[in-house]
């Protein structure tokens, strides 16, 4: 897949791009680009934002600046872009990212993530240039960059060959193998530590009993989290 991030801080993504699962995904033919929102700004001094009409605190990313950036990067009128690729505004009020959305995005051939800053986007950016608005949770962080990294991480690790065998994503939290429940608890050596015993069943060597124990713990965690399992 081609994964683009439009950001005022492209250098933040240099560290991210060096992480093993990301380099693996890129070696497998995926692409990750951090595109500088300022690169095509039509305004003097690299200006990208302005004060909100109607008053209020903070600054808002300008629609003309985002239009110039997207037109510059993709060579089309950005209103056409959502028909060609998923274009996602990262914003606290968007659709909350979950395993289902991650799977949906991981299967796309091309995704563009737009990072807001300050008070966020001029609403016309979201309405006319985007296919979706996505939130990483119901809280506010200082900008979309860390949210974009969360989304990139979650979808790149789903690409074939991104994870080593040891990190297999087959039986992990929220996977179909666990019917959408969180993962069961893990233990490793030492088997005895203070008086915190490892459950006997895990030391028993009975594969079917271990499987049943893990499934039960996973279900318990799912019920305790209050989240509905995947339908
Ligand atoms: N930008 C600021 N807060 C955010 C959030 N929770 N999700 C996505 N983008 C954001």
């Amino acid at each position: 897949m081609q994964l683009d991030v439009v950001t005022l801080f492209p250098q933040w993504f240099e560290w991210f791009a060096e992480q093993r699962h990301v380099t693996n995904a890129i070696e497998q033919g995926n692409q990750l680009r951090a595109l500088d929102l300022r690169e095509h700004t039509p305004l003097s001094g690299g200006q990208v934002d302005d004060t909100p009409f109607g008053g209020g605190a903070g600054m808002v990313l300008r629609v003309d600046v985002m239009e110039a950036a997207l037109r510059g990067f993709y060579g089309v009128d950005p209103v056409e872009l959502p028909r060609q690729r998923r274009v996602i505004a990262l914003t606290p009020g968007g659709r909350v990212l979950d395993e289902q959305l991650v799977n949906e995005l991981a299967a796309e051939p091309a995704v563009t993530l737009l990072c807001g800053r300050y008070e966020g986007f001029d609403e016309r950016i979201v309405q006319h240039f985007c296919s979706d608005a996505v939130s990483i949770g119901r809280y506010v962080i200082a900008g979309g960059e860390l949210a974009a990294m969360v989304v990139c991480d979650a979808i790149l690790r789903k690409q074939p060959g991104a994870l080593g065998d040891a990190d297999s994503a087959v039986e992990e939290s929220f996977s179909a193998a666990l019917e959408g429940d969180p993962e069961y608890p893990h233990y490793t050596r030492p088997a005895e530590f203070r008086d915190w015993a490892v459950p006997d069943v895990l030391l028993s060597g009975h594969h079917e009993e271990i499987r049943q124990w893990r499934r039960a713990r996973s279900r318990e965690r799912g019920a305790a989290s209050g989240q509905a399992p995947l339908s």
Side-chain angles (χ1 to χ4, degrees), residues 45-58:
Q47 189 191 344
V48 292
D49 56 5
D50 225 318
T51 51
F53 285 129

Side-chain angles (χ1 to χ4, degrees), residues 12-25:
W12 287 25
F13 290 82
E14 288 168 15
W15 166 82
F16 178 72
E18 286 168 7
Q19 304 312 303
R20 174 54 70 81
H21 58 298
V22 180
T23 58
N24 285 347

Side-chain angles (χ1 to χ4, degrees), residues 38 41-49 62 65:
R38 265 185 238 278
T41 180
L43 306 178
S44 60
Q47 189 191 344
V48 292
D49 56 5
R62 288 176 56 135
V65 171

Side-chain angles (χ1 to χ4, degrees), residues 89-95 114-118 120-121 134-148 151:
L90 291 160
T91 171
R95 173 177 167 190
L114 307 183
C115 300
R117 273 269 134 189
Y118 322 117
F121 304 98
V134 168
S135 167
I136 59 163
R138 292 284 182 247
Y139 48 85
V140 181
I141 55 177
E145 282 73 17
L146 291 177
V151 175

Side-chain angles (χ1 to χ4, degrees), residues 21-191:
H21 58 298
V22 180
T23 58
N24 285 347
I26 291 167
E27 277 164 22
Q28 298 299 315
N30 298 286
Q31 205 185 4
L32 173 66
R33 302 190 298 177
L35 305 173
D36 189 344
L37 176 61
R38 265 185 238 278
E39 197 175 314
H40 298 281
T41 180
L43 306 178
S44 60
Q47 189 191 344
V48 292
D49 56 5
D50 225 318
T51 51
F53 285 129
M59 300 291 273
V60 177
L61 284 184
R62 288 176 56 135
V63 64
D64 52 349
V65 171
M66 188 60 82
E67 191 207 47
L70 294 174
R71 199 185 280 277
F73 298 135
Y74 298 109
V76 296
D77 182 336
V79 296
E80 303 296 334
L81 215 48
R83 281 195 279 277
Q84 300 176 7
R85 56 197 295 132
R86 287 289 273 270
V87 183
I88 296 173
L90 291 160
T91 171
R95 173 177 167 190
V96 176
L97 188 70
D98 62 6
E99 182 71 2
Q100 192 179 333
L101 180 53
V102 169
N103 285 333
E104 204 178 299
L105 296 178
E108 293 280 345
V111 174
T112 300
L113 304 175
L114 307 183
C115 300
R117 273 269 134 189
Y118 322 117
E119 280 307 294
F121 304 98
D122 183 305
E123 188 59 22
R124 292 167 291 185
I125 295 174
V126 184
Q127 277 180 349
H128 299 292
F129 302 156
C130 293
S131 54
D132 312 65
V134 168
S135 167
I136 59 163
R138 292 284 182 247
Y139 48 85
V140 181
I141 55 177
E145 282 73 17
L146 291 177
M149 280 186 218
V150 169
V151 175
C152 289
D153 189 292
I155 66 185
L156 285 175
R157 68 187 289 286
K158 297 270 185 189
Q159 302 304 316
L163 298 182
D165 246 8
D167 311 316
S168 167
V170 174
E171 196 173 280
E172 65 176 8
S173 290
F174 320 117
S175 62
L178 296 181
E179 297 173 63
D181 284 319
E183 210 172 5
Y184 42 80
H186 297 286
Y187 298 86
T188 187
R189 280 183 278 272

